[in-house]
Amino acid sequence: MKPFPLKPGASPLDMFLQACLPRRDAVPATLTEHAVIPGIANARFRLDHDVTPFIEDAVQANKRESEMLARAGMPNDVLPLGNMLAVSGGGDAGAFAAGLIAGWTTQGTRPMFKVVTGISAGALVAPFAYLGPEYDGVIRHVSNGIGPKDIFHSRNVLTRLASDGMADSKPLSRLLAKYVTAQVLAAIAGEYAKGRILLIGTTDLDSGRPVTWNMGAIAASQAPGALDLFRNILLASMSIPGAVSPVMIDVEVDGKQYQEMHVDGGVITQVFLYPPTTVMALSKASGVPMRLERRFYVIRNGTLEPQWSGTKRRTLSIGGRAISALIQTQGISDLERIYRMAQQDSADFNLAYIGADFQCPHNRKFDGEYMKRLFDYAFEQSAKGYPWHKSPPSEITANKWATLFRGTE
């Protein structure tokens, strides 16, 4: 590895920082599209540029599913109902998705999902939701059985100056190593072979672009570094830039090695499913069985309404509060986008979010008591049958106004 060259006249502090934080060369802008993970085909997609590789992978997934049905002696000319689950970011509010999924199992109507996606906090839940109810114990523990010390380790002031984040995520890395094992990787590979899809989102900070990781393909690759890569992608998706260190991922372009810097996927989007042209493209693909119905389940680890918070007149407080407001607005826009896609693709839209009735002090990040109470709140609602919302915030607001207007007539 080698550091970036120092500018002429660099200060001693610049040289100190440079010495502490070496990295391989970043992928040049002109080569971004050509960077690959060595030894793992279709490991990821850059859906903001070219959806063709993703469509091709989806075609192959449908073919694997059709072949599995044929081996089981079931009709395979039309595929079964496609249930798709998207789990959003939200930090420690990810306990909401965990409780909802575990309660869903208890209620008895939780389906098997054709597609599961996760980003940021949702990345920790998604692989185990993908694998099914037998992993609910893991979901429960990683969402309400941990505290701040299990997620990050704060650095002292001097170390922060010489590092790439205010805290390091080694505790979270150890947590992932404990639960994302070789056996889990093999189980995900087995589900991928049946045509099921698991996607995790990160942000490539060098290019400033989203990356969608094909976790099933990584698990099924049997590449020597597949397990470490799988864990690193989950870690990267949850690594808030500036707050914790980014994750460096080795890539190649024409045999030359580079390194990409990956951080929280929530930098660009809070929740996602698939590109809006996917269903249309699949319908045009000859010889590919189609499914007649699709059902979207979107779990927002947050509220729909902005949460009031007194802001101190300090730089970090002001900046942090502004970012929080931006993330809130972005998350609502993502829900609107998925709803429009559901309408376009004739899919049944289902939305879950933290209701205004949940009240609990939240004094620090990854507060164990807050996460436990949020998990229990979601579990109780889901165990008795969660009332999935059939429209996004704009539609809910419009309906409220329509009701009020009718009341004045």
Side-chain angles (χ1 to χ4, degrees), residues 266-338:
V267 168
I268 293 178
T269 187
Q270 290 295 302
V271 64
F272 73 103
L273 265 177
Y274 55 74
T277 58
T278 300
V279 171
M280 185 181 300
L282 284 174
S283 67
K284 293 180 179 178
S286 60
V288 179
M290 294 297 297
R291 62 189 79 250
L292 294 178
E293 297 181 77
R294 282 167 291 278
R295 190 172 291 157
F296 295 175
Y297 293 96
V298 183
I299 302 178
R300 172 173 167 77
N301 290 308
T303 62
L304 294 189
E305 300 295 331
Q307 300 299 292
W308 187 92
S309 175
T311 306
K312 295 179 180 179
R313 197 173 177 181
R314 297 289 187 272
T315 300
L316 290 178
S317 295
I318 294 170
R321 180 58 177 162
I323 292 172
S324 176
L326 175 63
I327 290 172
Q328 171 76 13
T329 303
Q330 177 191 31
I332 299 301
S333 297
D334 290 335
L335 297 180
E336 304 283 351
R337 172 177 47 79
I338 294 175

Side-chain angles (χ1 to χ4, degrees), residues 256-274:
K256 184 175 180 180
Q257 295 183 331
Y258 295 94
Q259 211 167 46
E260 295 174 344
M261 181 181 291
H262 284 258
V263 298
D264 191 339
V267 168
I268 293 178
T269 187
Q270 290 295 302
V271 64
F272 73 103
L273 265 177
Y274 55 74

Side-chain angles (χ1 to χ4, degrees), residues 64-78 80:
R64 291 195 300 274
E65 184 178 6
S66 177
E67 291 167 358
M68 178 198 68
L69 292 172
R71 288 193 297 270
M74 301 171 63
N76 66 339
D77 53 335
V78 176

Side-chain angles (χ1 to χ4, degrees), residues 71-87:
R71 288 193 297 270
M74 301 171 63
N76 66 339
D77 53 335
V78 176
L79 298 178
L81 170 67
N83 295 296
M84 305 185 189
L85 174 68
V87 188

Side-chain angles (χ1 to χ4, degrees), residues 22-46:
R23 65 169 287 186
R24 281 186 182 147
D25 289 338
V27 179
T30 55
L31 299 178
T32 297
E33 304 298 334
H34 304 287
V36 298
I37 303 299
I40 305 179
N42 297 321
R44 63 198 190 157
F45 310 105
R46 291 187 178 271

